Structures are given as C-alpha cells and as structure tokens.
Amino acid sequence: MKTAAVIGGGPAGLMAAEVLANSGVQVDLYEAKPSVGRKFLVAGKGGLNLTHAEPFEQFLSRFGEQSKQLQEILRSFTPMDFRDWCNGLGIETFAGPSGRVFPLDMKAAPLLQRWTQRLREQGVRIQTRHRWQGWVIDGTLLFETPNGPLRVVADAVVLTLGGASWPKLGSDGTWVEPLIRYGLDVAPLQPANCGFEVPWSAHFRERFAGEPLKSVMLKFMNSNGQMFERQGSCVITEYGLEGSLIYAASALIREEINIKATASITLDLMPDLAIEKLIQRLSEPRGSKSLSSYLKSKLKLQPVAISLLREFENDSHANPVRLAQALKALPIPLTAARPIEEAISTAGGVRWECLNPSLMVKLRPGLFCAGEMLNWEAPTGGYLLTACFATGKAAGQGALEWIRRSGEP
C-alpha cells in the first residue's frame, strides 16, 4: 500500500489526510501537541466563523496580492463547497447578517470531533506528541516522540505546520530553518490580523484600556496610494489598538511601518453624520457646559471618543469647524505591530515560486506544503479558515496524483 505522511494536525493537515485516505492511501498524520486542531478550537470559542457568503469574486479579493495564486485553489473549494462539506459531517451552517458563516451551534468542538472520528474510520493514523525535526541525510523524516527519535519514509509528504502565531497551540514557526536548509525560499514571518502600538498618555491608558470604540470609520492611505476605508469597531488596549477593524487594515499598516517606521490612520468618530450637519450642531452655544457634557448632549459621543479627541486634538475645541474636522478625521499615530505571538495569524511563509500548481515543492518532488505556512494572508471573517481547508485539499490531491504517477511503470 502507498503511504503518505501529513505533518501538522490543523485544518489543512486534516483535509490533506482526508483526501489521501479517501483514495486508499495509508496516511499517518503527525502532530506535535497532545491533540489535533488546538488553534481551531480556540479560534472557535467566540463562535466558529467558518467562511463567508459574499459573491466569490469579492471573497477572492480579500486575499489581496495573493489572490492570483489562490484563485484556482479556492475555485476548487469554494465557500459553498465548504458548507456542503460541513453538512456531510452533519454540521448545519447559517450565514449571519454580515455574511459570515457559522455552524448552527456556533461551536468548533462538535465539528472537530466528528471529523477526527471519520478520519480514523477511513484509516488515518493520528500520531500525537510527534514533533517533526526535519530530514536526515537520505531524506528520511525525523521525529521526536515520547519513545525517542523516530525515522519515517513515505511515498509523499504534506507539510501543514501553520505560521508562528499562538505558539502555545503549536504554530511556532520552528519549521522555517529546516525548510531553508532543505533549499526552500521562505518569506520572513510577520504578524497578521494584529494589534498596533499607540503612544497613549498615562492617563488615557489607565482610564480607557479595555474600552471598545464603537461604530467608527477607519481610513488609511499608504505611501503607494493604496486606500483602506471601513466602518466598524475596535478596542483600546494598554499598548494601542486592536479589534476587527484594526485587523482588517493590518496588512497595509504593517507594511507602511516596515518602510517608514510609523503609520498614521484617521478615525471618523461620527461616520453617520455629514460634516456640514456636524458643524451646524457644534455651532450652537455651549453655555456653561464642559466640552464633555456638550459633546455628550449634542452628539451622544462615547466618553472614550471624547477623551481620544483630547488625546490628539487639544487645540481645536473652541472652533466648531476645526472641532468637526477633528471628529471626522482624527489622526492616530501607530508606531509598531504587536509581537507575532499575539497575532491571530501570520504573513509570510513558503514562497509560491517554490511550488507548482499542485503545491509540490519544485526542487523536492513528493513534498507538498499547505495552510498558513504558505506565503499568503487574509483578514478574519472566514477567509483564513477557508483558504487553509482549500490549500489542504489541493495539497492532498497533488500528493495523490504524485503517488499514482510514481507507481506507474
């Protein structure tokens, strides 16, 4: 019987194992941690966002510069295919008002449990506490196990080792050096979907750390003229800003900081009110009211937003026009991305130029890569997970085709 080794027990690895096992290949899946899918389970704690229900071309555009490389892979496992696959496990899904798709019970554990049970029934041997160490001279795989070193030879190998975020769950980036030594070109790993540091005053930090900043418009234009503009919410932290709105812009902001060592975003604190209307309201007499009381009564502005205005625009409060302009475009300096260990996901990884369309390493026939260890990134909202599943499926199919070809006379 032909054999395959899948290294990494996240969604990409489990999907590659399923494709291979369904076609009669003996699959051993190796996971360094005591159980598979640990990051998958943690990501689903607040509600497992599987994918997104927007039109496919719009969905594809969320992957930015890597959308071209991912296009055919995602066409072979679309968001609708993902939902059908879930239904095959007995997991029904629904699309919320924002288009994000969730399981009916919102939980990750039932899906993972049913999936791993099905994989075992298909003959996949899941080997936990097996940490991959690279290759020995003859190309044999080397693992560190509770019973000592283990050497493995397989007809095909699929690497799905994740990025470098959430290292406690297994995505620690330790695979980078072995792959570079093996001849692969790896783009440096960087934080993605991450928070950023802001030079808050001590008073603001102590008073508002942990406070949400709701329904604001974030605008950012980088040095190349690329524009990001979106309304949503974010969170004030001790170190700066985080949350879904910040994560959505994180790729552009991170690259700007890489180039210029700083980036400046603007926040529209009153996105649903035109500036002319805002000026009109702010031109009404303030009387004896403090600025805070005045802004609360006239605009129903959050205390955190009022203090944020004071933090960066102290000189505009007496002039209605300048105050309105500050409320509509408050500049916020960002000085650094937070460490990669805190990020939701990772940018960088094995460069696409190293791989053929089947995700096989060109210089190492029979070796395939999938998931977050590839050089791509995407915002949260189901995009990350869908691409991990899709690339896992593509690598599994590529490995299967390689095994079949290599067995031909």
Side-chain angles (χ1 to χ4, degrees):
M1 178 182 285
K2 294 293 185 178
T3 61
V6 177
I7 305 175
L14 296 173
M15 181 58 79
E18 181 170 270
V19 170
L20 287 156
N22 274 340
S23 296
V25 177
Q26 177 58 63
V27 179
D28 284 280
L29 186 144
Y30 300 94
E31 167 57 44
K33 293 296 182 179
S35 58
V36 299
R38 294 165 83 89
K39 185 176 177 182
F40 179 74
L41 288 174
V42 171
K45 276 191 174 179
L48 180 62
N49 183 195
L50 291 164
T51 188
H52 207 285
E54 65 193 343
F56 181 78
E57 293 303 325
Q58 187 175 350
F59 181 88
L60 183 63
S61 71
R62 306 299 188 189
F63 295 87
E65 294 179 359
Q66 290 83 31
S67 59
K68 182 178 179 181
Q69 287 85 356
L70 286 165
Q71 180 174 354
E72 293 308 314
I73 291 171
L74 289 169
R75 287 192 187 279
S76 296
F77 191 76
T78 65
M80 195 66 243
D81 294 330
F82 195 174
R83 297 181 70 176
D84 290 341
W85 178 88
C86 291
N87 287 336
L89 278 175
I91 303 293
E92 293 185 51
T93 61
F94 73 96
S98 67
R100 293 188 296 169
V101 174
F102 302 88
L104 281 182
D105 64 2
M106 302 291 288
K107 297 177 181 177
L111 187 154
L112 184 61
Q113 289 166 0
R114 293 187 188 188
W115 193 10
T116 53
Q117 179 182 347
R118 187 169 74 181
L119 287 169
R120 289 190 171 98
E121 291 170 354
Q122 292 167 341
V124 175
R125 298 184 297 213
I126 298 176
Q127 318 277 8
T128 57
R129 295 185 173 90
H130 281 56
R131 178 173 288 278
W132 180 63
Q133 300 294 298
W135 293 269
V136 293
I137 294 174
D138 64 355
T140 301
L141 297 164
L142 180 63
F143 294 89
E144 177 188 286
T145 80
N147 298 318
L150 174 68
R151 296 188 177 196
V152 172
V153 176
D155 295 305
V157 177
V158 182
L159 299 179
T160 62
L161 293 162
S165 61
W166 298 15
K168 291 181 179 179
L169 303 178
S171 297
D172 56 16
T174 55
W175 51 267
V176 172
E177 287 305 316
L179 286 193
I180 290 174
R181 289 198 303 269
Y182 206 53
L184 278 73
D185 190 6
V186 180
L189 301 183
Q190 301 183 82
N193 291 293
C194 58
F196 290 88
E197 297 181 3
V198 179
W200 303 130
S201 66
H203 169 76
F204 185 86
R205 181 185 300 112
E206 291 167 7
R207 171 68 179 82
F208 292 104
E211 287 284 322
L213 194 60
K214 299 178 181 178
S215 191
V216 296
M217 179 78 76
L218 186 156
K219 297 180 182 180
F220 173 68
M221 180 179 289
N222 69 8
S223 300
N224 296 325
Q226 291 175 281
M227 183 70 181
F228 176 92
E229 184 174 345
R230 188 174 301 178
Q231 187 170 339
S233 300
C234 54
V235 178
I236 306 294
T237 69
E238 288 188 3
Y239 60 76
L241 287 168
E242 65 176 31
S244 58
L245 187 59
I246 299 297
Y247 301 155
S250 63
L252 283 177
I253 296 171
R254 182 195 66 234
E255 293 308 310
E256 185 77 356
I257 291 174
N258 286 346
I259 295 168
K260 300 182 68 176
T262 187
S264 180
I265 62 172
T266 61
L267 293 180
D268 181 347
L269 302 175
M270 299 293 299
D272 299 323
L273 191 65
I275 191 167
E276 294 80 11
K277 292 285 186 183
L278 191 54
I279 293 171
Q280 184 179 352
R281 290 192 190 182
L282 293 173
S283 296
E284 296 175 11
R286 187 186 302 182
S288 61
K289 289 182 179 178
S290 67
L291 177 66
S292 294
S293 298
Y294 182 71
L295 292 176
K296 284 178 187 176
S297 62
K298 289 295 178 184
L299 305 177
K300 294 183 170 54
L301 207 59
Q302 300 170 256
V304 62
I306 296 169
S307 291
L308 192 63
L309 185 70
R310 283 200 174 109
E311 187 80 352
F312 294 110
E313 280 291 333
N314 255 329
D315 299 331
S316 63
H317 300 167
N319 185 304
V321 174
R322 289 182 60 194
L323 181 56
Q325 290 170 340
L327 286 166
K328 295 295 288 182
L330 183 66
I332 309 290
L334 307 179
T335 58
R338 290 297 291 171
I340 198 167
E341 295 83 2
E342 298 178 15
I344 290 176
S345 59
T346 305
V350 177
R351 296 188 189 274
W352 293 95
E353 293 79 7
C354 294
L355 308 171
N356 72 9
S358 298
L359 300 184
M360 185 169 74
V361 177
K362 294 175 183 177
L363 296 178
R364 303 289 177 178
L367 176 65
F368 297 79
C369 299
E372 201 179 330
M373 67 183 296
L374 300 178
N375 184 24
W376 62 276
E377 64 180 304
T380 56
Y383 307 103
L384 288 164
L385 201 52
T386 304
C388 284
F389 272 76
T391 56
K393 179 182 177 183
Q397 290 173 332
L400 180 61
E401 293 167 6
W402 165 257
I403 288 171
R404 286 171 173 169
R405 288 200 310 271
S406 61
E408 293 175 356

